[in-house]
Amino acid sequence: MYKNKAIEHIVLFLSIVIIVLFFVFGFEGYYGWDDMEYAQLAYQWATGKFDLSQNHFSYRHPIILFTGLSYKIFGLNDFSSALPVMLLSILILFLVYAALYKNDTRIIVTAILLTLLMPIFILYSHKLMGDMYVATGIVGSFVAYYFYRFRS
């Protein structure tokens, strides 16, 4: 078995850099109604004017909470809107790495690159939508099951 932790860490670091660079150079604005609604509700939460209304978007608490927290820390801008989702994207890459940590380096590098370069992953890695929150939950569930079943 070929094991080179330096290469694994370099690939993981470069993957994080690619996610950030894709936001810096590939941010094409907001996708549609959802992200604008989340941004408005998160701003309301950050300024203390949040109201649970008949708007069904206001019940998606993790998106509003983390984005509102980002608005409180960094102000109202595109980076603050994208930061929580970029952190979730990076968390998914770390979960893939954690699940495959004891495997061959070639398997780990391939898995990280396949995850990173999936069009749906990289395109939604900075969008203010619920998709990356759901993906993080699903990947986290699979990794938790994997650790429970095969690593205990």
Side-chain angles (χ1 to χ4, degrees), residues 22-123:
F22 188 74
F23 167 72
V24 170
F25 295 111
F27 183 73
E28 66 276 353
Y30 296 101
Y31 187 71
W33 180 259
D34 292 7
D35 42 7
M36 290 185 284
E37 192 71 28
Y38 291 133
Q40 179 185 7
L41 292 169
Y43 178 74
Q44 289 174 1
W45 182 88
T47 57
K49 299 173 186 167
F50 182 69
D51 180 36
L52 283 177
S53 62
Q54 296 299 327
N55 185 352
H56 68 89
F57 288 99
S58 62
Y59 294 99
R60 297 172 187 169
H61 301 295
I63 302 168
I64 295 168
L65 178 69
F66 293 131
T67 308
L69 188 63
S70 182
Y71 286 165
K72 275 189 177 235
I73 296 170
F74 299 108
L76 183 63
N77 54 46
D78 292 335
F79 174 75
S80 297
S81 296
L83 181 64
V85 182
M86 286 193 304
L87 292 176
L88 289 173
S89 303
I90 292 167
L91 178 60
I92 288 175
L93 293 175
F94 276 109
L95 287 172
V96 169
Y97 180 71
L100 300 173
Y101 179 72
K102 293 185 179 181
N103 289 341
D104 192 290
T105 297
R106 294 170 290 202
I107 293 172
I108 294 171
V109 168
T110 303
I112 290 172
L113 291 178
L114 282 175
T115 303
L116 175 70
L117 298 176
M118 281 190 306
I120 196 74
F121 181 82
I122 196 72
L123 288 175

Side-chain angles (χ1 to χ4, degrees), residues 133-146:
Y133 289 87
V134 172
T136 305
I138 291 170
V139 171
S141 298
F142 279 124
V143 170
Y145 177 75
Y146 177 75

